[in-house]
């Protein structure tokens, strides 16, 4: 189940780790729509690591629940039915040769577009707050990252999934800037979008993600904060690469 299918092509001059040249684990957490996944994907591609979008896994659980009629019109989740059917949810990732980035597959079907709709976005946080959903996804994420050489982004990667990750980043940006980025993304994909709705949705997701009982969104004590409100994508990429080099080739202490 959930076999990771993306290929790793280590860049000889870039891979390596703080622990005797082994591959390190990189955890990138932060608020909704702060550009974590773009940064994480770019970094993984540059350094030849595997990239895993843990949010996509919670989105797959949500899409499954919606399609199986397990979420009522008022948003109530049939938790007992979903828990009983968790073993039917198989998430995997496959490299898309055209984009150079991994696409998300649910039970063998590419759902990369369908998991990014407003409908899924507005139901995903309550689904991700369910302890049995988190337990299943966390176990899969830990299995995917067992050998290191992975960049995983999410909310609880540095705190719950890989608390021993060698490199932890906590990304944030102002609410309005995050909403604008998400709105532009939806418009670019030709999906219906309303700025105020997008802003309200991301604030609500942050609220649920930060206040849930299990593995809430919070900065790990040893994470480095990056506020990318006023940074370009190339600047963010360079910032991450510099940090990666510091972690993997630490300068000898004087
Ligand atoms: O990163 P994203 O917006 O695609 O994440 C979708 C939802 O999944 C988000 O509201 C919170 C949840 N999530 C989580 O609880 N833990 C993670 N590691 C990743 C995402």
């Amino acid at each position: 189940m959930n076999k990771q299918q993306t290929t790793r092509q280590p860049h000889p001059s870039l891979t390596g780790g703080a622990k005797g040249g082994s591959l390190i684990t990189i955890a990138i957490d932060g608020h909704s729509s702060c550009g974590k996944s773009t940064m994480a994907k770019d970094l993984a591609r540059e350094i030849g690591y595997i990239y895993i979008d843990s949010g996509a896994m919670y989105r797959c659980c949500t899409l499954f629940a919606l399609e199986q009629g397990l979420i009522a019109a008022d948003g109530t989740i049939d938790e007992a039915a979903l828990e009983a059917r968790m073993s039917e949810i198989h998430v995997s990732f496959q490299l898309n040769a055209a984009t150079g980035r991994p696409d998300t597959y649910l039970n063998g079907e590419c759902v990369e577009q369908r998991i990014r709709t407003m409908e899924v976005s507005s139901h995903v946080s309550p689904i991700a707050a369910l302890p049995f959903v988190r337990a299943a996804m966390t176990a899969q994420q830990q299995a995917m990252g067992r050998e290191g050489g992975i960049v995983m982004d999410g909310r609880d990667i540095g705190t719950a999934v890989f608390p021993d990750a060698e490199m932890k980043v906590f990304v944030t940006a102002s609410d309005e800037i995050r909403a604008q980025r998400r709105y532009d993304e939806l418009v670019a994909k030709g999906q219906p979008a309303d700025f105020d709705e997008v802003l309200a949705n991301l604030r609500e997701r942050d609220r649920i993600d930060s206040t849930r009982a299990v593995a809430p969104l919070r900065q790990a004590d040893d994470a480095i904060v990056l506020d990318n409100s006023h940074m370009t994508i190339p600047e963010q990429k360079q910032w991450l690469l510099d940090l990666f080099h510091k972690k993997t080739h630490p300068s000898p202490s004087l």
Side-chain angles (χ1 to χ4, degrees):
M1 186 166 118
N2 301 301
K3 192 168 178 291
Q4 171 59 33
Q5 295 170 0
T6 50
T7 48
R8 187 207 309 268
Q9 293 172 315
H11 188 297
S13 67
L14 287 168
T15 53
K19 292 178 192 162
S22 60
L23 300 171
I24 69 165
T25 299
I26 302 175
I28 302 188
D29 289 305
H31 296 99
S32 295
S33 303
C34 60
K36 303 183 290 296
S37 48
T38 304
M39 295 171 65
K41 272 178 210 163
D42 286 351
L43 175 68
R45 192 166 41 185
E46 185 79 22
I47 64 179
Y49 276 27
I50 285 174
Y51 164 69
I52 300 288
D53 175 355
S54 68
M57 299 172 73
Y58 292 101
R59 288 173 178 272
C60 281
C61 297
T62 308
L63 182 66
F64 178 88
L66 282 166
E67 290 187 339
Q68 298 300 318
L70 306 181
I71 304 180
D74 67 356
T76 308
I77 303 162
D78 185 342
E79 293 182 27
L82 181 59
E83 184 165 12
R85 298 188 63 182
M86 281 305 292
S87 62
E88 293 175 39
I89 301 178
H90 303 276
V91 184
S92 59
F93 298 93
Q94 279 184 39
L95 196 68
N96 178 324
T99 61
R101 291 174 168 186
D103 280 343
T104 310
Y105 284 71
L106 170 61
N107 296 334
E109 192 186 342
C110 180
V111 291
E112 188 55 38
Q113 303 298 323
R114 280 158 58 213
I115 58 169
R116 312 279 170 200
T117 60
M118 277 303 285
E119 191 190 16
V120 170
S121 295
S122 57
H123 289 102
V124 64
S125 285
I127 293 278
L130 297 171
F132 61 85
V133 171
R134 298 209 72 77
M137 294 303 116
T138 300
Q140 290 174 23
Q141 290 152 9
Q142 288 171 337
M144 288 170 174
R146 216 176 354 237
E147 292 171 14
I150 195 162
V151 181
M152 191 175 290
D153 78 347
R155 304 294 187 287
D156 63 338
I157 309 307
T159 53
V161 180
F162 297 122
D164 297 329
E166 290 88 346
M167 173 168 157
K168 297 183 188 178
V169 178
F170 189 83
V171 192
T172 192
S174 79
D175 295 2
E176 288 74 14
I177 286 176
R178 291 187 290 128
Q180 188 65 51
R181 288 176 183 163
R182 182 81 189 114
Y183 173 84
D184 292 345
E185 219 173 79
L186 288 167
V187 170
K189 285 183 192 159
Q191 292 185 11
D194 172 84
F195 179 82
D196 291 336
E197 193 189 333
V198 170
L199 179 62
N201 172 261
L202 76 82
R203 283 183 171 152
E204 179 61 1
R205 282 204 284 149
D206 286 346
R207 189 190 64 75
I208 300 174
D209 295 342
S210 315
T211 56
R212 68 179 173 227
V214 185
L217 164 66
R218 70 169 180 83
Q219 182 196 329
D221 295 339
D222 50 351
I224 298 176
V225 178
L226 174 67
D227 182 335
N228 67 8
S229 298
H230 303 292
M231 287 171 88
T232 62
I233 288 176
E235 284 169 348
Q236 295 170 45
K237 185 173 162 185
Q238 194 54 50
W239 187 94
L240 273 182
L241 266 177
D242 290 347
L243 183 61
F244 173 76
H245 283 302
K246 252 188 240 160
K247 295 284 179 186
T248 53
H249 301 99
S251 39
S253 44
L254 297 171

